[in-house]
Amino acid sequence: MTASNTDTDCDVCIVGSGAGGAPVAWRLAKAGQSVIVLEKGPWLTDQHFRKDELACCRRAVYTPEKRLEPHVVEDRDADGAWVAKSTAESGWDFWNGNLVGGSSNLMSGFFHRLKPVDFRQLDELGPIAGANRANWPISYDDLEPYYDQVEPLVGISGALAKHPNIEPRSSADFPYPPTLEHPVSAWIDEACERLGYHALRVPRAILSRGALGRRACEYSGYCGSFGCSSGAKGGARAAWLTPALATGRCAIRPRAQVLRLLSDARGRVTTAEYADAEGKVRQITAKRFVVACQAVETSRLLLNSPGPKFPQGLANNSGQVGRNLLFSAGGSGSGDLEYAALGAERAAALKTMGPFVNRALDDWYLIEDKGFAGAGNERRHKGGIVEFLLAHPNPTGLANRAKWRDGELVWGLPLKRRLEQWFRTDRTLRFEVFCDWLPTDDCFVSLDPKVKDRWGQPVARIRIGHHPHDLQVGRYLADKAERVLKELGAARVRSSISGAPPPNLMAGGCRFGTDPKTSVLDADCRAHEVENLFVTDGSFMPTGGSVPYTWTIYANALRVAEGMLG
Amino acid sequence: MIRRAPPTESLAPVAATRAELHAWHNALLDRRAFLARCAGVTVAGLFAPMLAEATIAEADQPAKTLSENERMMLIDAVQQHLFPSESEAPGAREINALPFLRFVLKDAKTDPDEPAFILNGAGWLEDLSQQRTSQSFLALDSAARESLLRETAASEAGENWLSTLLLYLMEALLTDPAYGGNPDGIGWRWLEHIPGYPRPDAATIYPRLP
């Protein structure tokens, strides 16, 4: 790659190759700019992604070893006091796919847009005590054209049907027909209809037919947490980086751990300093820098990058970097559909492997129920969605849980009979609840004063406090979802709503806004205080909405890139 | 989307309450801390908290020196007890549990403290067997082995050790044959599990990834 400016190595240096960084790389390279992407993880290709439970889910293969690269998590103990523990000791893991393309390689590809209300929660729904609710500085209408652009570029499969909560769209339908659907999807439709609910067909960032130089989905039945071997999944590597590389103006440097960003006396970023695979410290200079390392690590990098104008960390004279960290609130539940109760034909149908469920409920994206006693405005509350899915087919995790019964270990023939029961007699239908994690002063990223990583850098210290209102919303939605499972005749219907964060669903930490005192970025996701620094992962979100973030991150990254082109 | 469930040695169900998650995290913390404590600890401190006072002094001696091969023979016997063979269902021997465990013990992705814990546990069990029965665990019949393992499970360390062996038994049963367990998918066939594709092979198992 040849840089277009002899003063710098490239026009734009992007830190992080996932959902936030890759669309920017594609858009700018396509427009003729020279781009270098620094990614801390390895560069794996489709051929490396096998249906390997050990690799995906049971060993630190796509994530760093926690003893070498820990985080420190602050959680409340039973008395309510904050207690900090290193993940090297606790077993928590806040890493989410350190490889080219980032964690989007491993997503399930449930693709939902935000709804207009998500952009003006404070105005529409009012404040909640103890929460830092805020409006976005842009509207849904500002982002909609980019949501629309993402659909054909990434390859979103779906079918639009009349639905009461559908958000405004500029295209009549999705560019690819829906992925194949499991027989249970029709059962869910019927159950919802009987209950007066509106089952929503979920768009997937998975190609239902070959296109864009990628193969169609092969319906292996393993998707979430696994990399895609056909290229059908629209993760950042397949959807954005491959065409970015094809321009000849984009280069990716894997195994490049960015240690800090250097800034000059004017407050401009000049250099990204990184450690390569051999541990040698190297530098990249660029005219502009884009940070997209996922919420926790983006904040950590800025905090680890003080400069002449930024004694508290890059772009952090407001003290806002790391604040208002978000996760997806909610929880999950399940019920067991027993083969014996279904009859032979339906039991055989239920055993079908491969096709997707693709069903969700968004009837309560806004809760207007007098019976709901949440915090804040008494009439209307932000709700969320319920996503249905079959229990993941990973067998080892399930089997390992079978060894415990009432807190006691089970082994020998009792364990074997239990395994037969668990694996052969039913299939578990699950649901996941996605609702807003209210931003609060008790959820943020800082630098740990003692713990350092393998490169000697202070690690991120993550406080994970949640707002009690989140649990009320989650419980409300879980109760609705349980009704669907019961209507389906499922046995052992249960659910749990928790204030524990799902670390793979994170955002916030560098919220965008119009006031530099309360936000890190402006409406263009440029740092208020640093004219050549942009943040394009989910860090920019002041509120997270109630759906998985990836489509919104893609769309916003395209919007920011468009703005960078002027 | 898969809301990430607690990893690996979870004691909690997939959907857990906050209190359960607290307990789970504390358990994990305890496990790491206790793995570190285990080095140099004797059988009295680990497997036999309820030993009679008179036997404490005798028990609180360093574990007998066993070769790694002898420890693996003991582990083999424990695995076969924990997961016995049946005519209609594979046991530890049929699923290649011991070769799979050998892979785990040498794997760079295994917690560095875990191989020592697994191997030391065999020595502690043998000591306990000698103290209880004056015989090697290998010489005991099934009922005596069961009794000794139940006693082992009553202590924190013993329960952890058995839980760890069961974890790797389940992996040997159901993970891809490319890793040495589950030969020809024998565990998958038994439990009517359909694996995904493409499957890993010798060139694509995780130690070989770039």
Side-chain angles (χ1 to χ4, degrees):
Chain A
M1 186 189 64
T2 304
S4 63
N5 183 320
T6 55
D7 294 328
T8 56
D9 294 314
C10 58
D11 291 321
V12 180
C13 174
I14 300 175
V15 184
S17 65
V24 179
W26 172 80
R27 184 68 189 91
L28 297 185
K30 188 165 164 282
Q33 300 212 0
S34 59
V35 178
I36 295 177
V37 181
L38 301 175
E39 164 57 50
K40 76 171 292 188
W43 195 341
L44 303 180
T45 64
D46 293 350
Q47 293 86 340
H48 295 117
F49 292 120
R50 305 297 172 113
K51 300 306 181 286
D52 181 345
E53 186 183 0
L54 289 188
C56 91
C57 308
R58 305 195 66 77
R59 306 286 192 270
V61 174
Y62 304 135
T63 57
E65 292 185 49
K66 294 190 286 290
R67 63 194 164 94
L68 301 174
E69 298 180 55
H71 292 110
V72 173
V73 179
E74 283 187 82
D75 196 5
R76 288 190 193 276
D77 66 13
D79 298 324
W82 293 106
V83 177
K85 295 174 186 171
S86 164
T87 55
E89 295 178 333
S90 69
W92 276 91
D93 196 345
F94 279 71
W95 294 112
N96 289 300
N98 286 171
L99 64 166
V100 170
S103 61
S104 63
N105 282 294
L106 314 175
M107 68 180 179
S108 301
F110 297 160
F111 259 36
H112 299 272
R113 300 179 179 204
L114 294 178
K115 296 183 190 293
V117 67
D118 289 308
F119 294 71
R120 48 176 199 273
Q121 281 196 32
L122 187 60
D123 286 352
E124 290 252 355
L125 304 168
I128 289 181
N132 303 325
R133 211 173 219 179
N135 294 322
W136 287 31
I138 63 172
S139 70
Y140 177 82
D141 290 343
D142 294 321
L143 200 57
E144 198 285 334
Y146 301 98
Y147 276 128
D148 193 60
Q149 281 185 38
V150 166
E151 291 186 5
L153 291 171
V154 165
I156 300 184
S157 300
L160 210 60
K162 191 176 178 185
H163 196 269
N165 279 335
I166 192 77
E167 55 279 355
R169 335 173 10 103
S170 53
S171 296
D173 207 342
F174 294 100
Y176 298 95
T179 49
L180 296 179
E181 291 179 350
H182 193 276
V184 81
S185 306
W187 306 355
I188 294 172
D189 289 342
E190 292 159 8
C192 288
E193 192 170 346
R194 290 195 294 273
L195 292 167
Y197 302 165
H198 302 87
L200 171 71
R201 178 176 264 180
V202 178
R204 302 296 288 259
I206 296 171
L207 286 171
S208 53
R209 62 170 183 246
L212 305 169
R214 294 148 48 194
R215 301 206 305 273
C217 181
E218 293 172 347
Y219 300 103
S220 171
Y222 291 69
C223 205
S225 305
F226 284 81
C228 181
S229 54
S230 73
K233 191 190 291 187
R237 180 183 52 85
W240 303 105
L241 294 179
T242 299
L245 291 167
T247 66
R249 290 182 290 276
C250 176
I252 299 173
R253 297 191 184 177
R255 296 194 186 279
Q257 167 69 14
V258 178
L259 304 173
R260 57 182 178 148
L261 299 174
L262 306 179
S263 56
D264 62 20
R266 294 166 53 206
R268 289 173 56 88
V269 182
T270 60
T271 307
E273 189 171 275
Y274 69 96
D276 68 12
E278 283 75 45
K280 187 175 287 186
V281 176
R282 299 183 179 277
Q283 294 188 332
I284 292 281
T285 59
K287 288 190 270 187
R288 290 187 288 186
F289 290 80
V290 175
V291 176
C293 319
Q294 208 167 55
V296 166
E297 290 300 303
T298 286
S299 287
R300 176 199 180 205
L301 176 58
L302 299 186
L303 293 171
N304 266 329
S305 302
K309 285 192 71 174
F310 307 108
Q312 303 176 74
L314 187 63
N316 191 37
N317 288 334
S318 64
Q320 288 294 307
V321 170
R323 313 297 302 185
N324 297 301
L325 182 67
L326 304 168
F327 296 95
S328 173
S332 61
S334 62
D336 302 325
L337 298 169
E338 296 179 331
Y339 298 136
L342 290 171
E345 190 176 336
R346 281 169 77 90
L350 185 60
K351 291 179 182 177
T352 303
M353 284 291 291
F356 299 105
V357 174
N358 287 357
R359 288 296 182 277
L361 288 168
D362 69 355
D363 290 17
W364 309 279
Y365 206 79
L366 274 177
I367 300 172
E368 300 182 86
D369 182 343
K370 290 176 184 172
F372 178 76
N377 187 305
E378 291 180 359
R379 290 182 302 107
R380 301 167 78 224
H381 299 271
K382 182 65 200 305
I385 70 163
V386 172
E387 191 86 44
F388 292 97
L389 63 164
L390 287 160
H392 201 289
N394 271 348
T396 302
L398 176 64
N400 193 44
R401 288 194 293 277
K403 73 187 180 189
W404 294 102
R405 184 168 55 200
D406 301 328
E408 300 285 331
L409 280 177
V410 180
W411 65 68
L413 298 182
L415 173 61
K416 298 182 78 171
R417 301 292 85 79
R418 190 169 165 86
L419 288 170
E420 288 166 345
Q421 175 79 17
W422 281 29
F423 276 82
R424 292 176 176 175
T425 60
D426 59 40
R427 193 152 187 201
T428 301
L429 184 62
R430 297 186 58 231
F431 63 82
E432 294 183 342
V433 173
F434 296 84
C435 55
D436 281 61
W437 179 286
L438 287 171
T440 76
D441 289 342
D442 283 333
C443 194
F444 60 87
V445 179
S446 60
L447 297 180
D448 192 85
K450 293 180 182 172
V451 181
K452 293 188 168 54
D453 66 12
R454 66 201 304 173
W455 298 280
Q457 293 287 100
V459 307
R461 185 181 179 103
I462 310 161
R463 181 174 285 195
I464 56 170
H466 69 279
H467 196 290
H469 177 80
D470 302 345
L471 302 186
Q472 293 175 293
V473 176
R475 173 43 54 200
Y476 184 87
L477 294 165
D479 288 346
K480 304 289 187 187
E482 282 197 24
R483 289 183 65 185
V484 176
L485 297 188
K486 288 170 183 167
E487 183 68 23
L488 281 165
R492 295 174 291 283
V493 174
R494 67 273 194 192
S495 65
S496 178
I497 297 301
S498 167
N504 56 334
L505 298 164
M506 62 168 69
C510 293
R511 59 166 43 175
F512 73 161
T514 54
D515 184 354
K517 292 176 184 167
T518 58
S519 57
V520 177
L521 310 172
D522 67 15
D524 297 327
C525 289
R526 182 202 308 253
H528 288 300
E529 300 177 306
V530 189
E531 63 176 310
N532 68 338
L533 174 68
F534 297 79
V535 174
T536 58
D537 56 20
S539 300
F540 77 97
M541 299 171 78
T543 55
S546 304
V547 293
Y549 304 123
T550 310
W551 196 354
T552 298
I553 294 171
Y554 277 172
N556 185 65
L558 278 187
R559 184 186 69 89
V560 173
E562 202 69 42
M564 291 174 74
L565 290 170
Chain B
M1 183 62 62
I2 302 296
R3 279 181 173 276
R4 185 185 294 164
T8 57
E9 272 285 280
S10 171
L11 310 184
V14 172
T17 66
R18 190 169 183 77
E20 287 171 327
L21 283 165
H22 266 300
W24 173 71
H25 291 305
N26 288 335
L28 279 171
L29 180 64
D30 289 347
R31 174 167 167 70
R32 287 294 304 121
F34 121 102
L35 275 179
R37 286 202 310 271
C38 283
V41 173
T42 61
V43 64
L46 288 169
F47 278 6
M50 294 168 289
L51 281 175
E53 296 241 345
T55 65
I56 288 286
E58 182 188 350
D60 203 10
Q61 299 296 318
K64 281 190 170 55
T65 303
L66 296 177
S67 68
E68 182 170 329
N69 192 44
E70 289 171 320
R71 291 169 195 264
M72 292 306 288
M73 285 174 62
L74 272 160
I75 290 170
D76 184 29
V78 174
Q79 285 182 326
Q80 289 182 47
H81 187 90
L82 296 177
F83 210 68
S85 299
E86 300 173 280
S87 58
E88 300 298 318
R93 182 160 288 168
E94 289 77 27
I95 63 175
N96 283 351
L98 197 66
F100 180 80
L101 188 66
R102 288 187 195 280
F103 159 76
V104 170
L105 296 178
K106 291 179 180 170
D107 181 22
K109 295 291 183 190
T110 300
D111 186 323
D113 291 328
E114 192 141 289
F117 173 63
I118 290 172
L119 291 170
N120 285 344
W124 298 322
L125 179 66
E126 179 65 1
D127 279 3
L128 186 65
S129 180
Q130 292 288 350
Q131 289 158 23
R132 283 282 183 266
T133 68
S134 300
Q135 294 184 81
S136 166
F137 181 83
L138 295 174
L140 302 180
D141 63 20
S142 179
R145 287 181 178 186
E146 177 71 12
S147 175
L148 207 62
L149 291 174
R150 285 292 158 201
E151 184 179 357
T152 298
S155 71
E156 178 203 13
E159 185 181 65
N160 254 297
W161 186 69
L162 289 166
S163 172
T164 302
L165 291 184
L166 284 163
L167 164 68
Y168 293 121
L169 274 165
M170 294 303 98
E171 287 191 355
L173 174 70
L174 290 164
T175 202
D176 196 279
Y179 289 96
N182 189 18
D184 298 323
I186 189 172
W188 291 340
R189 288 199 304 277
W190 170 46
L191 294 177
E192 300 172 3
H193 171 76
I194 299 171
Y197 57 86
R199 288 172 34 201
D201 55 28
T204 54
I205 57 174
Y206 67 78
R208 306 269 162 76
L209 291 178

